[in-house]
Amino acid sequence: MDVLIQIVASGLTLGAMYAVATIGLSLVYGSLNMLNMAHGAILTLGGYICYAAIVHAGLHPVLALLAAALVCALVGLLIYFSAALPLLRAENFETNIFIATIGIGSVIENLMLKGFGPYPIPQPLAVDGQVVIGNVHIPLQNVFILGVAIVLMAAVAILLQRTSTGRAIRATSMNREAAQLMGVRVGRVYAQVLALSGALAAVSGIMISSIATLTPVMGGDPMLKAFIVCVVAGLGNVYGAVIAAIALGLLEAATQYVLGVRWSFATLLLLVILVLIWRPYGLFGKQQVVRL
Amino acid sequence: MVDAALDIINASAGYSGRIVLDAIKLSARKGELTAIVGPNGHGKSTLLKAISGLVPVTSGEIRLDGLRIDRLRPDQIVERGVIQVPQGDLLFPAMTVHENLLMGAYANSGRLAERLDFVFTLLPRLKERRNQTAGTLSGGERRMCGIGRGLMAGGEVLMLDEPSLGLAPIVIEHIYEVIFNLRREGRTILLVEENAERIAEHADMIHLLDNGRIAWSGLGAELMARPEIVETYLGV
């Protein structure tokens, strides 16, 4: 029983972090057909900004988190105006933006390397204490991460489902031309989505660095996991991504316990292969069916 | 032309260098049903797309109530009241019927409840299906949802691109009944249709679009009285 609680607790924390890292990626792919390869670097930048805001600027941790989200949202906007907007006017947008964002990610990563050095730094935004369930001690930090992730996911869901802006984002991702015919200014939607994705990446970077450490390359692993989650869920399906993220987090925690840490990533990849053989369009992706 | 809502003045348009529309000149008058007929692939849909700003107008002008709209973005054209119900509906499949209708009012959300009421009265089937996702509707229901969504915008000019496409005859009849009713209520409608016979009686003005040019313009009854034109261009 204790083992189960332990697995569920760490699985949920992992899943929550993956989910927040994935939502932004999935939203951007869903609306722009753009695989943002700079997502991992933005996520890391969020962690560093939070660190710098607390340690160097002496900001309150909550303000530091907001500052990181704001800066990364601006980076998202910058990517829109400097790369996505000009490339949207040319052909082969998907390939071009893929390569362009690899470049942007590399620039951000190297700027962080120059600014903060290559050595791991602890993230000062941490919550002390623990919760005891049975004989299992769960760090309060993990509970906190789960809580923040749930609040963020709920906020994104409300934004997408209940607001006119959210409906415009969904409409654009379902059919760009139809959205334009409704009077949606798709350029603005793209900018909003990239900014939102940047802000979410920042929070996810802060979460991840708070239970690991900050290094300029720390974004690579969560971005890879986020891609896996996206592919398993069906690219661009935000709600599917949240479910897949939590399921993969739980699976990772269980594999780590049963088979050992070194098998966890291999198991994830095996699962992706199986899912894609079974459903090439992802678990929650839909084949286009048209009734006449 | 005092009462023209939409004026297309020698407008040419096309895709990446290929001219599809060549110096088109026509008007949609206020409160009238103007129809554009012609064979497939001769520019009818491109014309509506050019009016909506989805295809760039390379020369000539498009004016709404005398003001140029051909240099505006698609969203600005919608804001000015030129609404298109595109071919094949282009609904938002994962949204409910209700959400699709709300999207119709995205650019102009005033008097939302009143418009929703109007659409539900005109197309009661949509009310029954309001919480169903659009992707699960039948072909006829999808078309009604597309038209309802267009009406939600409360625009000045309603453009419909082949509303009969792919539907069973009985459903087509119903859809056209709705469109002719809108005309009787005084809506300005620009309708694209392949089958001239279907609309000849009700259209105030018919333009025959052939190979990107207006080949003939006149009243519906006049077109039907010219069997040689109907046969040459429309293959009836």
Side-chain angles (χ1 to χ4, degrees):
Chain A
M1 187 62 193
D2 286 349
V3 169
L4 194 67
I5 294 172
Q6 184 68 58
I7 290 175
V8 169
S10 54
L12 282 180
T13 313
L14 278 175
M17 289 191 302
Y18 294 159
V20 177
T22 312
I23 294 172
L25 203 64
S26 184
L27 266 177
V28 169
Y29 187 83
S31 10
L32 281 93
N33 266 1
M34 159 177 172
L35 274 182
N36 183 7
M37 296 300 288
H39 196 71
I42 299 174
L43 179 152
T44 314
L45 181 68
Y48 274 113
I49 300 283
C50 181
Y51 160 81
I54 294 174
V55 174
H56 298 307
L59 284 187
H60 186 272
V62 175
L63 286 180
L65 189 139
L66 291 176
L70 184 69
V71 170
C72 290
L74 290 175
V75 171
L77 280 182
L78 195 67
I79 291 180
Y80 172 69
F81 286 109
S82 66
L85 186 60
L87 288 175
L88 272 167
R89 296 197 186 111
E91 282 176 22
N92 295 327
F93 172 74
E94 284 185 53
T95 319
N96 291 341
I97 195 71
F98 180 77
I99 296 166
T101 50
I102 291 178
I104 294 169
S106 167
V107 169
I108 297 174
E109 212 170 280
N110 281 289
L111 285 176
M112 290 185 293
L113 190 64
K114 183 117 180 91
F116 298 97
Y119 305 108
I121 306 172
Q123 177 61 264
L125 181 65
V127 187
D128 291 328
Q130 49 193 11
V131 184
V132 183
I133 303 174
N135 296 317
V136 184
H137 293 250
I138 301 163
L140 208 52
Q141 181 75 14
N142 290 23
V143 179
F144 191 64
I145 286 175
L146 189 62
V148 171
I150 289 172
V151 169
L152 272 181
M153 286 186 274
V156 171
I158 289 170
L159 171 80
L160 289 178
Q161 294 294 340
R162 299 264 172 246
T163 68
S164 159
T165 306
R167 264 198 300 275
I169 292 175
R170 284 160 61 215
T172 306
S173 70
M174 284 180 228
N175 194 321
R176 176 176 157 186
E177 192 171 298
Q180 284 180 300
L181 289 177
M182 301 301 112
V184 174
R185 191 173 170 182
V186 289
R188 184 180 289 168
V189 168
Y190 292 164
Q192 284 167 342
V193 166
L194 273 164
L196 178 63
S197 162
L200 289 169
V203 179
S204 129
I206 296 168
M207 286 176 173
I208 293 166
S209 57
S210 76
I211 57 168
T213 48
L214 270 168
T215 65
V217 292
M218 68 162 243
D221 182 61
M223 186 167 80
L224 191 61
K225 301 262 171 68
F227 272 131
I228 291 175
V229 170
C230 267
V231 169
V232 168
L235 272 167
N237 185 321
V238 178
Y239 298 110
V242 170
I243 297 171
I246 289 167
L248 288 185
L250 287 169
L251 178 87
E252 190 173 330
T255 334
Q256 281 178 1
Y257 179 80
V258 180
L259 299 173
V261 173
R262 62 191 169 142
W263 289 104
S264 73
F265 194 56
T267 316
L268 275 190
L269 290 179
L270 181 71
L271 187 85
V272 176
I273 294 168
L274 291 178
V275 165
L276 290 184
I277 291 172
W278 174 44
R279 285 173 74 93
Y281 34 88
L283 279 181
F284 304 96
K286 277 194 187 121
Q287 270 180 314
Q288 208 66 18
V289 181
V290 176
R291 281 173 63 198
L292 284 175
Chain B
M1 229 169 282
V2 241
D3 54 352
L6 199 63
D7 264 322
I8 297 148
I9 308 158
N10 298 324
S12 299
Y15 305 91
S16 48
R18 197 172 65 88
I19 293 291
V20 179
L21 299 174
D22 189 7
I24 299 288
K25 192 169 181 347
L26 64 88
S27 300
R29 292 179 207 231
K30 278 204 169 86
E32 291 193 351
L33 173 64
T34 308
I36 300 162
V37 297
N40 255 339
H42 283 232
K44 301 193 299 293
S45 294
T46 307
L47 176 58
L48 293 199
K49 283 188 180 178
I51 297 171
S52 285
L54 294 172
V55 174
V57 174
T58 47
S59 65
E61 293 178 4
I62 297 174
R63 290 176 180 268
L64 175 72
D65 294 331
L67 298 174
R68 278 187 79 161
I69 58 165
D70 53 278
R71 294 281 178 269
L72 300 180
R73 288 190 312 265
D75 55 292
Q76 293 171 316
I77 293 171
V78 172
E79 264 171 37
R80 290 200 182 23
V82 180
I83 310 301
Q84 183 182 159
V85 177
Q87 193 176 101
D89 311 312
L90 306 189
L91 297 180
F92 304 113
M95 286 189 188
T96 62
V97 168
H98 184 235
E99 284 179 310
N100 266 282
L101 294 177
L102 289 182
M103 273 314 295
Y106 176 81
N108 178 5
S109 54
R111 299 186 296 131
L112 197 63
E114 196 180 310
R115 276 191 221 155
L116 207 55
D117 246 14
F118 170 74
V119 169
F120 282 151
T121 314
L122 189 72
L123 304 159
R125 181 64 73 87
L126 293 183
K127 193 171 188 176
E128 288 168 33
R129 302 266 188 247
R130 62 186 297 173
N131 294 321
Q132 202 170 316
T133 51
T136 62
L137 297 177
S138 73
E141 290 165 345
R142 276 211 309 270
R143 194 65 36 90
M144 288 177 209
C145 189
I147 294 173
R149 193 177 62 174
L151 290 171
M152 284 298 289
E156 198 175 327
V157 180
L158 185 66
M159 306 194 291
L160 298 145
D161 194 352
E162 295 216 33
S164 63
L165 193 78
L167 297 182
I170 188 156
V171 185
I172 296 178
E173 217 169 278
H174 177 61
I175 295 279
Y176 268 106
E177 212 178 279
V178 170
I179 295 170
F180 298 147
N181 268 335
L182 288 169
R183 152 77 184 81
R184 275 190 284 275
E185 280 171 17
R187 296 252 177 181
T188 308
I189 298 173
L190 184 61
L191 172 74
V192 161
E193 173 60 67
E194 205 182 330
N195 185 342
E197 241 175 316
R198 195 170 283 142
I199 41 110
E201 198 185 313
H202 291 86
D204 295 288
M205 197 69 176
I206 292 189
H207 302 275
L208 176 63
L209 192 64
D210 179 65
N211 221 354
R213 289 163 177 272
I214 299 285
W216 184 89
S217 297
L219 301 175
E222 284 173 16
L223 179 64
M224 295 330 274
R226 301 277 298 272
E228 77 284 4
I229 292 183
V230 175
E231 203 172 310
T232 310
Y233 292 108
L234 303 166
V236 181

